[in-house]
Amino acid sequence: MGPTVNIVPGTRVVDRHPSSAVPPGGSGGLRPRVRRRLRVPQALLLSSAVGLALSGCATTAQREGGTAGGGEASLVLPDLAAVTVVGGVSGRLLLILGLVVCLLGLGFGFMAFVQLRALPVHPSMREVSELIYSTCKAYLIQQGKFLMILWGFIAAVIVVYYGFLVGFPWGRVAVVISFSLIGMAGSYSVAWFGIRVNTFANSRTAHASLDGRPLHVHRIPMKSGMSIGMVLISLELLMMLVILLFLPADLAGACFIGFAIGESLGAAALRIAGGIFTKIADIGSDLMKIAFKIKEDDARNPGVIADCTGDNAGDSVGPSADGFETYGVTGVALITFILLGVNDPSIQASLLVWLFVVRAVMLIASVVSYLLNDAWTRAHYAKAERMNFEVPLTSLVWLTSALCIASTFATTYLVLADAVGPDLWWKFATIVSCGTLAGALIPELVKAFTSTGSKHVREVVKSSRQGGASLNILSGLVAGNFSAYWLGAAIVSLMGAAYLIGEQGLEALMIAPAVFAFGLVAFGFLGMGPVTIAVDSYGPVTDNAQSVYELSTIEDLEGIDVELERDYGIDVRWERAKQMLEENDGAGNTFKATAKPVLIGTAVVGATTMIFSIIMSLTEGLETGLENLSLLHPPFLLGLVSGGAVIFWFTGASIQAVTTGAYRAVEFIRTTIRLDGVTKASEADSRRVVEICTQYAQQGMLNMFLGVFFATLAFAFVEPYFFIGYLISIAIFGLYQAIFMANAGGAWDNAKKIVEVDLHAKGTALHDATIVGDTVGDPYKDTSSVALNPVIKFTTLFGLLAVELAVSLVDDGLHTLVLVLAAVFFAVSVYFVHRSFYGMRITSSLADDDAAELDEPTPGDAGGAGLMDPRTRTGSVEAETGRPGSATGQVTDALVELGAGEER
């Protein structure tokens, strides 16, 4: 076991040069550097201070008789039992049947889990995957503690708002808080389930590749993805149905909000921290390929285990929590709209029943699609020697989309035909189908910019051949910008179609039917949810499978060919196995990229519906104050401008956290890697890299979350219509920033894959150039872009409470105090914005490095001479060179040289 470092925020961390080999009798120029971090008691004190500051005001307001019963706090669910569908079936009975479908979905997911665990796997591969799981487990335990700290801030606001301003009895406040915890626990638990499934599947996929046939190399990650997708969607729907069916009608609205905020908090923390973690590890591992001319997943590189852990932390944990939250938040947005925007209780009840029945039916449609597609794949590729791994994934997406659209029309007719009439039910179904079609169409557009067969990706490779890393990066930026145009146009077209349909009679049932139509588009986006999650989860398994194969060093085991034939009946084909794993990883990269715009699209479209709920509350049902929703109202315009500033800060802060963490990881790996005399890096060194990644992920996450949290409070307290403009702005800026960054990163990633798989050019200058592009794209696609999705939804949901809190205080005559609090919250937000760079910037840990930067370079840095041959390294950098080593200097020298060479 490696050394354990307490990485929970709140400890005093002394950040030293990571080399443990210091020459006896001296420090070798080592200079300890104390990093000041927000401690756990400080964080709890800060959250308590927020609660006390607000509760003091609220208590005064309540004593004077002021309460804030508006908004979601006053929402009352209609009688669902009064709904009858075609055939006389009760709406409540249908929803109870939906609970049964959820339980069956959970059963399907766990059955796939058990089947994966039972698949054959060589002990050398199982050992690696279990090591990956143990590091993932340690990471998740730390994140769980971290989440509880962050939850304290949310709980403080919930207590103040519901307990003091709304005047809920404390028992009811406790129920709302409990559901915020349940929502957060849901995001956390599906993330945990996802890494356990994936770490079973990665070693089984690697083992299945040994016979050189592609079918099982595809089916295993596909089954693991469906297992995660079914458990995720079934659990989320089950929780929401419990609130809908079993809580008092006048409490359910508040519990839905609390549940959604908890989901959002869990997803934001896990998505942001996971994205930072995975890219620190990925960059740290990748740069070693350039520095030492070693292969992709060389077992001697202590950064590879951290990279595998990061694949799960960023590409499995994050998307699982994000997907769970996305489905919940979109549902809550639609429920809130129905209760605020539809006046007739019978129509409210019918629409609520319809929404949840459609979700349950789509769950069934996703399973049927998977089983049909799997049967076709087995029949088509049973004896195939090669396959295009993207083909069955693409066919699954389109088949699911078609079945979900057909199911939507059938279900809508049965549930809504009698309630809304023969002229309207098909319009609801068509609007939802616009979103379901987007769920299949958007991945096709993404593939045009990120697939290994894409002209844009091949343009990146061509640019790299003559222009090196510079033109590689420029071509990737072009791909990202073009993709933002085409995907934005597609989303606008589908939303426009929904708007036009919504204007054809829906106004008779509700206020602002266009807003409801936009929400239904987001609902349709998520209709094929288990499959969307499945193809996204396919990627981390294929990536890990390749790593597990290399880290197991199975080819070097004595008598392995005979053992595999005797124990597993495998006539092993080593080169073919490695080639298949590489090709499958390329398909995984592509489909990881396709899920990102779907999730960010739902965040933006769903946020539109939630913003409408805030507007309804502010304007008393669109009766007053509408003139403030105009560019002629200066605060509204200023809010529109402010949102962009926050989005660009956030993306910069997340990349800064990756940059600093990667610097430390590279520094440690470079000084500990041994390439001669060992076959694997030590477990202690590998775990230390994981600890470095976790430390910087949590530091970065804390700064960014608190910056967003206090900015939301500040802007909500400044002026409510300023806040509306701000929410609209972060949604629009966030949409295009996320699409651009995700697809630029995907293009860089698969350009590298083309060089490795199609051109067989590993170790060349071309390969080095594409590695540089990939390391730029890593935080683009897997840190910043994906984190914008939960941030947008968290800000909108939490903002719903924050703005009502501010308005309630103003109504109670505390306008001056609200402005003072706005200034205080903004100052605190700016403090964390400042910390996100100045508290995270790279500061050299070695005194001589500072001197080298200010004076002339030391001789060992010139011309790349500092890159010692790792085969001769016997002690620390200081012992070998007589001076402290510079991680950045030596790796940069390697990047400058970009020399061709063979892999060792």
Side-chain angles (χ1 to χ4, degrees), residues 532-868:
T532 300
I533 298 298
V535 298
D536 185 49
S537 297
Y538 189 93
V541 174
T542 59
D543 197 349
N544 264 198
Q546 189 179 356
S547 300
V548 167
Y549 181 98
E550 297 290 351
L551 291 170
S552 69
T553 62
I554 189 171
E555 295 180 59
D556 300 328
L557 299 179
E558 186 176 349
I560 186 63
D561 294 63
V562 175
E563 180 187 348
L564 290 171
E565 175 67 33
R566 182 187 69 240
D567 296 343
Y568 301 100
I570 295 175
D571 182 12
V572 67
R573 300 162 64 186
W574 299 111
E575 292 305 317
R576 180 73 195 115
K578 288 185 282 189
Q579 179 74 10
M580 278 195 312
L581 291 174
E582 289 266 20
E583 293 172 357
N584 204 19
D585 186 29
N589 287 340
T590 299
F591 277 84
K592 276 193 299 185
T594 63
K596 294 180 177 74
V598 172
L599 292 176
I600 189 65
T602 59
V604 172
V605 180
T608 304
T609 309
M610 187 60 73
I611 291 169
F612 172 79
S613 300
I614 301 174
I615 292 172
M616 285 284 288
S617 176
L618 292 175
T619 60
E620 300 178 8
L622 303 184
E623 294 294 331
T624 63
L626 293 179
E627 67 279 1
N628 294 326
L629 295 171
S630 163
L631 295 182
L632 299 179
H633 183 58
F636 180 74
L637 177 60
L638 293 173
L640 289 174
V641 176
S642 300
V646 170
I647 290 295
F648 279 86
W649 155 70
F650 184 86
T651 54
S654 56
I655 293 176
Q656 177 62 40
V658 171
T659 303
T660 306
Y663 177 97
R664 293 296 170 213
V666 167
E667 190 176 34
F668 176 78
I669 295 168
R670 184 193 61 77
T671 56
T672 56
I673 191 170
R674 299 291 181 270
L675 299 182
D676 274 358
V678 296
T679 58
K680 294 183 180 181
S682 72
E683 184 176 325
D685 285 345
S686 296
R687 288 183 180 275
R688 177 58 188 141
V689 179
V690 173
E691 290 164 358
I692 291 170
C693 296
T694 307
Q695 173 186 338
Y696 284 94
Q698 291 194 333
Q699 282 182 265
M701 169 61 206
L702 185 66
N703 289 327
M704 288 184 284
F705 174 81
L706 293 179
V708 169
F709 175 86
F710 284 103
T712 303
L713 282 174
F715 294 153
F717 275 53
V718 166
E719 206 263 3
Y721 295 96
F722 175 96
F723 189 61
I724 295 294
Y726 169 72
L727 292 179
I728 294 171
S729 180
I730 64 166
I732 295 172
F733 275 94
L735 171 68
Y736 287 102
Q737 181 81 328
I739 291 174
F740 155 68
M741 299 184 85
N743 291 334
W748 282 315
D749 195 355
N750 268 345
K752 183 189 73 169
K753 191 61 63 178
I754 289 173
V755 171
E756 294 172 343
V757 177
D758 296 345
L759 303 182
H760 305 286
K762 289 183 179 180
T764 65
L766 174 61
H767 188 219
D768 288 351
T770 59
I771 290 173
V772 173
D774 184 39
T775 56
V776 174
D778 278 338
Y780 265 50
K781 66 183 173 67
D782 290 326
T783 305
S784 298
S785 69
V786 295
L788 288 171
N789 175 32
V791 163
I792 291 170
K793 285 179 291 189
F794 172 79
T795 301
T796 307
L797 270 168
F798 179 61
L800 179 63
L801 289 187
V803 76
E804 290 188 2
L805 178 61
V807 169
S808 300
L809 292 171
V810 170
D811 288 346
D812 287 314
L814 300 173
H815 185 256
T816 300
L817 182 58
V818 167
L819 292 178
V820 170
L821 286 174
V824 171
F825 291 145
F826 182 70
V828 176
S829 174
V830 169
Y831 168 75
F832 286 107
V833 169
H834 182 274
R835 275 174 54 92
S836 67
F837 174 72
Y838 291 97
M840 294 292 295
R841 71 190 188 279
I842 297 172
T843 303
S844 176
S845 60
L846 300 173
D848 282 19
D849 283 350
D850 290 340
E853 290 171 6
L854 295 173
D855 301 318
E856 54 188 285
T858 50
D861 280 334
L867 268 177
M868 297 78 66

Side-chain angles (χ1 to χ4, degrees), residues 77 240 243-244 251-261 332 335 356:
L77 293 179
M240 294 193 72
I243 296 175
L244 193 67
L251 180 60
C255 289
F256 272 126
I257 297 295
F259 176 71
I261 289 175
V332 169
I335 291 168
F356 282 91

